[in-house]
Every structure is written in C-alpha cells, then in structure tokens.
Amino acid sequence: MRALAITVSNRASKGIYPDKSGPLLVSLLKDAGCEQVDGPLVIPDGEPVEAALCDGVRDGYDVIVTTGGTGLTPTDLTPEMTRRVLDREIPGIAEAIRQVNREKVPTSILSRGLAGVAGRTLIVNLPGSSGGVKDGMAVLGPILRHAVDQIHGGDHPRV
C-alpha cells in the first residue's frame, strides 16, 4: 500500500511552529502496513487541501490521510475540501474515529472529519492533535488493508 500523509495547518505551513502530528501519522501508517508513506506534506487549509487531495488521487495513492483542519473554527475547511474530491463517503470510519476515545476526550465528537473513496483512493481526515492522530489510527490501522483491498475490487474473505 502506498500512502500520503498531509498535515493541514495554517501556522505550521508558515513555519510558526513545527508539525508534530504529521511525522507521527507517517510512523503509524508504516506500522499499519503501508510499504511506502510519503509526506508529511504540510499545507494551509482551504483550496490547497482540495488540490493536494486531487494530486494524490491522480498519483495513484492507495490511501491519503490528513491531520488537521477538522474543527469548528472559521478557517477549518478540510471536510468541505475533502467532500469536493470524494466519490463516496464511508461514514462508519469517521464516526468510529470520533467515538474511539470519547470518554477521555469529550471534545473529540466536535471533529468534522470525513472518510471516503475518490477513484481508487481511500481518504480519511483525522484531527490535528497527536492524540487525535493516535486515536484515529487505532481505528484505521486494523481495517486499512481490507478497506484498500475492497476499493480495488477485492472479495470479502471467506471463513
């Protein structure tokens, strides 16, 4: 599996502070079985997100995971930009990510991240915090290979 990690942060993209969640995401994607992980690509929110996702789909990545831009502030536009690119949403992934650590982090339900398919690419939005990336990858990691296989036309495993 080829993966692309994208950090969406207006401040990190300007060098105001270092990107911490992107390198963690790269590591966790490798741990989840991705043989090649590019990034983290650090970009500002808004139109650059749509452009980066379109580029990643065109370049044939199996999975693209973003971190950041999923909150409630006026500049958090990652879900809107992602929706423009998706052919089909996978709401169960996004809902599971919001719920995974809800007891310890009640504000996790405020994330507006999406998950879905664009062409033959799985796209998932994770929150911008390191904790949000860990929690999100705890959900995504165990299902990643199966989801990508299904998107590529694979059959359901038989018992």
Side-chain angles (χ1 to χ4, degrees), residues 75-87:
T75 59
D76 286 326
L77 300 172
T78 296
E80 287 77 14
M81 297 300 114
T82 300
R83 186 168 276 121
R84 291 180 182 181
V85 178
L86 294 179
D87 298 318

Side-chain angles (χ1 to χ4, degrees), residues 25-145:
L25 177 57
V26 167
S27 175
L28 293 173
L29 284 165
K30 288 178 183 176
D31 291 347
C34 295
E35 292 85 15
Q36 177 187 339
V37 182
D38 293 332
L41 174 64
V42 182
I43 59 173
D45 212 333
E47 302 290 335
V49 174
E50 181 182 10
L53 293 174
C54 287
D55 289 347
V57 170
R58 185 195 64 238
D59 292 344
Y61 284 98
D62 298 304
V63 60
I64 302 171
V65 182
T66 68
T67 172
T70 64
L72 301 177
T73 72
T75 59
D76 286 326
L77 300 172
T78 296
E80 287 77 14
M81 297 300 114
T82 300
R83 186 168 276 121
R84 291 180 182 181
V85 178
L86 294 179
D87 298 318
R88 297 182 288 163
E89 289 190 34
I90 310 171
I93 293 174
E95 290 307 319
I97 290 168
R98 278 186 272 282
Q99 297 297 325
V100 68
N101 204 13
R102 191 176 130 223
E103 296 304 316
K104 282 174 53 178
V105 186
T107 56
S108 66
I109 64 170
L110 298 177
S111 175
R112 300 177 311 109
L114 300 177
V117 179
R120 293 171 50 92
T121 303
L122 174 65
I123 299 175
V124 179
N125 302 147
L126 298 181
S129 67
S130 294
V133 169
K134 287 178 191 171
D135 291 344
M137 284 304 298
V139 170
L140 186 59
I143 64 163
L144 187 56
R145 186 163 299 281

